[in-house]
């Protein structure tokens, strides 16, 4: 498997074999890290990390992974560069491509990261756009596989806003890898019909299935993985909160949902999560709309079925695999 020089923009661009290869490589790097085996084979190289939206996991994963691989990093924060304000994406790409061996981009439209990749001349990695979050998918697949021992045939139910980066990306990865994906949410939050059709094509090859349902009982029954994400994503306007809470409250992950899924089920969330009011935004919105927990109850979040911190750790190992594979470590 040779992924040298490839961009990592969406899993639509990768075959099932390539995706599994990256998960395998991440598992190898995880093992090396746990055993203290050095793997700094990219010494002397440097990568740029562009964040037009904030981050904890993705930024730290890229930085720690790069340092473990022996590389230098430069972080460009949402306000500290010329990008998009005084300098176009194409010009930025051509400048950074002269200095760095790879570029990570987190921000808004997918077209921006595509434009960056078009002009950079070095691999570009998508650290989250409005449409996709592909590095998160590798971490999720590693976590599911570590727990169940396999991916094919796993039933994954996604609850909440299924027409944004997380819902889209989970549907793609499940369809590619022969998993059973269900979006369990209000109709207006179903993934885009064109993307569903494209995933149906992948599913024909892999044996996956795709189900869209508004029925919580049917949608979560027997699910191996119950997955959710925040109801209001980064960059969305304040006005959407009220409608989201109204429409998505029936799709909150509760103990009843987990019990309906069954004792074998695990809970995943890309994080950050509103499972209590111990955050500034959670507290403000909670007071305004009278809630104490949003997309998942604290009880589920803190339960034994919740593997969210294994999942968060796996961001680093999987991002390391992406950097290593595309830069030829
Ligand atoms: N899951 C995820 O991407 O987390 P951050 O926003 O903290 O990077
Ligand atoms: N849907 C969320 C994912 C965060 C990792 C967002 O875009 O804010």
């Amino acid at each position: 498997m040779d992924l040298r020089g490839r961009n990592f923009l969406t899993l639509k661009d990768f075959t099932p074999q390539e995706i599994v290869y990256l998960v395998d490589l991440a598992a190898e790097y995880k093992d090396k890290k746990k055993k203290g085996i050095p793997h700094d084979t990219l010494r002397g190289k440097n990568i740029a990390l562009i964040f037009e939206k904030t981050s904890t996991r993705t930024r730290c994963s890229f930085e720690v992974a790069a340092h473990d691989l022996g590389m230098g990093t430069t972080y460009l924060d949402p306000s500290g560069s010329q990008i998009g304000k005084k300098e176009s994406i194409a010009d930025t790409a051509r400048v950074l491509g002269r200095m760095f061996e790879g570029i990570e981009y987190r921000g808004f439209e997918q077209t921006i990261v595509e434009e960056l990749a078009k002009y950079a001349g070095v691999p570009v990695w998508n650290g989250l756009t409005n449409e996709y979050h592909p590095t998160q998918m590798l971490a999720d697949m590693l976590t599911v596989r570590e727990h169940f021992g396999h991916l094919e045939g796993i039933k994954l139910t996604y609850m909440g806003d299924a027409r944004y980066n997380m819902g889209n990306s989970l549907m793609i990865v499940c369809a590619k890898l022969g998993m059973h994906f269900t979006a369990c949410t209000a109709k207006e939050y179903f993934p885009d019909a064109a993307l569903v059709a494209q995933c149906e094509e992948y599913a024909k090859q892999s044996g996956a299935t795709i189900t869209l349902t508004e029925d919580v009982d049917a949608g979560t029954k027997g699910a191996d993985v119950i997955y959710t994400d925040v109801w209001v994503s980064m960059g969305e306007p304040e006005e959407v909160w009220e409608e989201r809470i109204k429409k998505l409250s029936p799709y909150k992950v509760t103990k009843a949902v987990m019990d309906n899924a069954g004792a074998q089920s695990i809970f995943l969330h890309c994080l950050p999560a509103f499972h209590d009011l111990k955050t500034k935004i959670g507290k403000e919105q909670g007071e305004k709309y009278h809630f104490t927990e949003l997309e998942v109850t604290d009880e589920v979040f803190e339960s034994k079925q919740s593997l969210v911190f294994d999942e968060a750790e796996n961001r680093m190992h999987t991002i390391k695999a992406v950097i290593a594979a595309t830069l030829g470590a």
Side-chain angles (χ1 to χ4, degrees):
M1 188 68 67
D2 186 0
L3 300 180
R4 277 175 301 177
R6 291 273 296 273
N7 297 309
F8 190 78
L9 306 183
T10 160
L11 288 187
K12 289 197 285 187
D13 301 337
F14 287 78
T15 65
Q17 293 74 23
E18 288 169 341
I19 298 169
V20 170
Y21 168 77
L22 287 169
V23 176
D24 289 344
L25 186 61
E28 278 175 36
Y29 275 119
K30 184 170 181 173
D31 191 51
K32 279 193 180 138
K33 174 110 175 161
K34 299 279 171 198
K35 290 182 176 147
I37 300 169
H39 41 281
D40 51 344
T41 51
L42 289 172
R43 265 190 312 275
K45 296 190 193 288
N46 295 287
I47 62 173
L49 309 175
I50 306 172
F51 282 82
E52 298 205 275
K53 290 175 179 170
T54 52
S55 168
T56 296
R57 276 146 292 273
T58 309
R59 176 184 176 183
C60 294
S61 295
F62 269 98
E63 293 207 7
V64 173
H67 286 295
D68 285 353
L69 291 167
M71 309 174 82
T73 56
T74 297
Y75 172 69
L76 297 168
D77 76 14
S79 61
S81 75
Q82 314 283 21
I83 298 166
K85 297 179 281 284
K86 270 179 71 181
E87 192 158 31
S88 69
I89 294 297
D91 291 356
T92 304
R94 286 176 289 181
V95 171
L96 297 182
R98 298 289 181 106
M99 300 181 193
F100 296 94
E101 273 78 23
I103 304 167
E104 179 276 354
Y105 173 84
R106 163 171 289 200
F108 297 89
E109 287 80 23
Q110 184 72 8
T111 49
I112 301 174
V113 76
E114 283 167 3
E115 174 101 344
L116 201 56
K118 184 172 164 195
Y119 289 99
V122 296
V124 170
W125 308 296
N126 179 357
L128 177 145
T129 55
N130 295 348
E131 292 90 340
Y132 306 113
H133 197 4
T135 62
Q136 179 74 49
M137 294 308 106
L138 299 180
D140 297 345
M141 293 304 110
L142 179 59
T143 311
V144 170
R145 201 178 69 178
E146 283 173 344
H147 185 79
F148 291 105
H150 64 103
L151 292 170
E152 218 171 306
I154 290 288
K155 293 181 192 160
L156 185 149
T157 295
Y158 180 83
M159 304 179 83
D161 182 2
R163 26 119 265 166
Y164 217 67
N165 42 29
M166 287 303 305
N168 291 345
S169 298
L170 284 164
M171 180 169 67
I172 294 166
V173 78
C174 287
K176 292 240 174 188
L177 299 185
M179 298 163 71
H180 303 294
F181 175 81
T182 299
C184 180
T185 187
K187 235 188 197 88
E188 54 268 57
Y189 295 99
F190 282 175
D192 171 63
L195 185 61
V196 174
Q198 197 173 357
C199 288
E200 292 284 8
E201 291 302 313
Y202 304 146
K204 275 187 204 155
Q205 303 294 318
S206 70
T209 56
I210 295 166
T211 308
L212 311 180
T213 181
E214 293 196 285
D215 184 334
V216 173
D217 187 57
T220 62
K221 187 119 220 123
D224 299 307
V225 183
I226 298 287
Y227 203 120
T228 193
D229 178 22
V230 290
W231 291 342
V232 178
S233 286
M234 289 183 277
E236 292 201 287
E238 170 72 26
E239 304 84 83
V240 303
W241 273 91
E242 190 171 358
E243 179 74 4
R244 293 289 159 81
I245 290 169
K246 199 166 105 205
K247 288 285 164 54
L248 295 178
S249 285
Y251 302 96
K252 182 193 295 278
V253 180
T254 61
K255 184 162 186 310
V257 165
M258 295 306 293
D259 288 347
N260 188 49
Q264 85 298 344
S265 71
I266 60 169
F267 171 71
L268 295 181
H269 190 310
C270 54
L271 305 181
F274 290 119
H275 59 95
D276 57 27
L277 296 185
K278 293 176 191 160
T279 63
K280 185 171 179 283
I281 294 176
K283 191 168 180 297
E284 278 166 13
Q285 299 295 344
E287 279 165 8
K288 192 163 168 194
Y289 297 111
H290 314 291
F291 64 77
T292 54
E293 43 204 10
L294 266 191
E295 70 273 11
V296 56
T297 63
D298 200 46
E299 185 182 18
V300 170
F301 188 89
E302 299 293 353
S303 72
K304 282 206 172 63
Q305 284 168 290
S306 170
L307 300 187
V308 295
F309 297 111
D310 292 328
E311 183 185 10
E313 176 190 332
N314 284 339
R315 296 298 310 288
M316 198 280 288
H317 306 298
T318 44
I319 281 173
K320 189 182 287 174
V322 172
I323 299 173
T326 53
L327 297 189

